Amino acid sequence: MDLKFNNSRKYISISVPSKSQTMSPHIKSVDDIMVLGINLSRFNKLTQFFICVAGVFVFYLIYGYLQELIFSVEGFKSYGWYLTLVQFGFYSIFGLIELQLIKDKRRRIPGKTYMIIAFLTVGTMGLSNTSLGYLNYPTQVIFKCCKLIPVMLGGVFIQGKRYNVADVSAAVCMSLGLIWFTLADSTIAPNFNLTGVILISLALCADAVIGNVQEKAMKLHNASNSEMVLYSYSIGFVYILLGLTCTSEIRPAVTFCSKNPIRTYGYAFLFSLTGYFGISFVLALIKIFGALLAVTVTTGRKAMTIVLSFLFFAKPFSFQYVWSGLLVVLGIFLNVYSKNMDKIRLPSLQGLMNISADERKSRTLIQPV
């Protein structure tokens, strides 16, 4: 903003910069929504929706398939932390490449904040990958759907929050669904281990915290997604590398993977690449259509992932999986509804009775005499 003073007429001239001048250097224009080099703003809303949904389903379904495929390699299940190390390495490279494509390459978020975010990211992804050595993949996905439970528990015990009936009902449905699904898994799955439940539960707790920390840091310092990915995953890479070195687990993992480079490093590269692309479409979906529709799409994707897991990988099946999964889906719907009550208006019982009475009245009026 420029201020100009004129002594003869004594007025102040204020020139306000245009929107393109005041915008963050990470964004080309107000309406531009770039995803993997595609400018989605050139398409209409319906086309944007189908592109985003296709991106989410294609990349994340491949991501889930490759993740389970890697752990189906005989002898690999004990190397979940090494897979996370490789994944963090690829993510760091992808973030570095993307950061080179933007003009402003400065680090905006403080290093101490990135150290915290990196620690939480290591906990989320490392524990989640490691849990697959003890659990069926569908069980892990069901647990991932229930992030609301640790979020609510933290809100109650740490911040003293109070939740409405819809939120409490959502948590109850998710908890019952998880218990029922886990009991089915422990009954019919030959490789069920309680350690896997503990690991994925800890991963959920870290995941519940990291979202709030990342959102606050990015809004406070106006950082880009590529900066967040580069620094959080590169610092996390160092954390895991130090941990594996201290526990002497890195040498046997490297030896094992070097014997099967295509089925380990090759799958891990595609697994990391599809995960990196998938999150880009999820963020675009949130930006264009909002969190409500994004949650609906990602929930459908997770349901499809579970179905494909049973189709492509041999594992015991029980209809108890179906009923418990539907309970979790109901919990997700209640959670979304509680956050969007002003947008989603469900008909009340009295309203339904009035509609029914009006329909009966109209039928009576149109009857022939």
Side-chain angles (χ1 to χ4, degrees):
M1 182 173 67
D2 299 328
L3 297 178
K4 298 179 182 179
F5 296 90
N6 191 310
N7 293 329
S8 60
R9 295 188 180 182
K10 295 184 179 180
Y11 70 88
I12 301 176
S13 175
I14 303 176
S15 60
V16 181
S18 63
K19 287 184 178 181
S20 60
Q21 291 174 320
T22 57
M23 289 180 58
S24 168
H26 306 298
I27 305 173
K28 292 184 177 180
S29 70
V30 177
D31 298 322
D32 279 353
I33 302 172
M34 302 293 296
V35 180
L36 305 182
I38 303 172
N39 189 353
L40 296 183
S41 58
R42 297 177 180 176
F43 304 100
N44 57 42
K45 287 288 184 180
L46 185 62
T47 307
Q48 290 176 353
F49 174 75
F50 280 115
I51 291 175
C52 290
V53 171
V56 170
F57 270 77
V58 170
F59 289 118
Y60 270 119
L61 288 178
I62 297 174
Y63 174 90
Y65 174 80
L66 289 170
Q67 186 179 31
E68 189 167 6
L69 187 64
I70 293 171
F71 279 92
S72 67
V73 176
E74 187 176 355
F76 188 81
K77 288 188 175 181
S78 58
Y79 302 123
W81 278 108
Y82 184 70
L83 173 63
T84 310
L85 176 71
V86 175
Q87 186 179 6
F88 272 52
F90 282 131
Y91 275 27
S92 300
I93 295 172
F94 299 152
L96 182 62
I97 294 173
E98 188 176 357
L99 194 64
Q100 300 304 311
L101 302 177
I102 62 177
K103 294 179 180 180
D104 192 353
K105 300 177 177 60
R106 293 175 297 170
R107 177 172 59 84
R108 295 170 176 267
I109 298 177
K112 291 182 179 180
T113 305
Y114 273 128
M115 293 177 72
I116 297 172
I117 294 174
F119 179 78
L120 293 171
T121 307
V122 168
T124 299
M125 300 182 68
L127 293 172
S128 179
N129 286 338
T130 307
S131 69
L132 279 177
Y134 305 91
L135 295 174
N136 279 335
Y137 185 75
T139 306
Q140 188 219 42
V141 175
I142 283 290
F143 268 87
K144 283 183 175 182
C145 292
C146 301
K147 189 167 62 174
L148 171 69
I149 297 175
V151 170
M152 286 186 64
L153 290 176
V156 171
F157 292 108
I158 298 174
Q159 303 183 42
K161 285 186 177 181
R162 293 184 178 182
Y163 294 93
N164 57 34
V165 177
D167 279 327
V168 175
S169 301
V172 170
C173 288
M174 288 182 183
S175 300
L176 292 176
L178 277 179
I179 293 170
W180 202 3
F181 203 98
T182 306
L183 287 175
D185 208 32
S186 63
T187 303
I188 66 175
N191 63 332
F192 178 82
N193 194 315
L194 188 60
T195 305
V197 176
I198 297 173
L199 290 173
I200 193 62
S201 298
L202 292 174
L204 269 185
C205 293
D207 193 27
V209 176
I210 192 174
N212 294 323
V213 177
Q214 284 179 328
E215 183 180 0
K216 182 178 179 181
M218 293 184 73
K219 287 184 177 179
L220 183 63
H221 302 283
N222 193 28
S224 63
N225 290 338
S226 54
E227 178 196 327
M228 175 65 70
V229 170
L230 173 61
Y231 288 100
S232 58
Y233 283 99
S234 58
I235 296 173
F237 178 87
V238 176
Y239 287 163
I240 301 173
L241 182 62
L242 291 175
L244 291 177
T245 303
C246 292
T247 56
S248 302
E249 294 182 10
I250 192 168
R251 181 173 294 178
V254 172
T255 303
F256 176 85
C257 292
S258 61
K259 295 178 181 178
N260 304 279
I262 296 177
R263 300 181 67 191
T264 53
Y265 293 119
Y267 290 166
F269 171 75
L270 296 175
F271 162 69
S272 304
L273 186 65
T274 51
Y276 191 86
F277 287 167
I279 192 63
S280 300
F281 283 101
V282 171
L283 293 174
L285 199 61
I286 294 172
K287 186 173 182 180
I288 301 171
F289 299 100
L292 174 61
L293 192 58
V295 169
T296 305
V297 172
T298 53
T299 302
R301 190 274 305 173
K302 289 174 182 176
M304 183 65 70
T305 301
I306 294 175
V307 173
L308 292 179
S309 176
F310 280 106
L311 290 177
F312 288 107
F313 298 94
K315 54 174 68 68
F317 176 78
S318 169
F319 275 102
Q320 194 170 333
Y321 284 141
V322 178
W323 311 130
S324 54
L326 290 176
L327 263 180
V328 172
V329 171
L330 176 61
I332 294 171
F333 169 77
L334 290 172
N335 179 35
V336 173
Y337 169 69
S338 69
K339 293 179 179 178
N340 298 271
M341 286 184 175
D342 55 333
K343 299 178 182 178
I344 307 175
R345 296 187 180 276
L346 296 179
S348 63
L349 182 60
Q350 184 63 37
L352 292 174
M353 292 175 64
N354 292 337
I355 293 173
S356 179
D358 291 340
E359 287 180 352
R360 287 197 300 268
K361 187 182 296 183
S362 63
R363 288 173 185 172
T364 304
L365 290 174
I366 63 174
Q367 285 180 355
V369 179

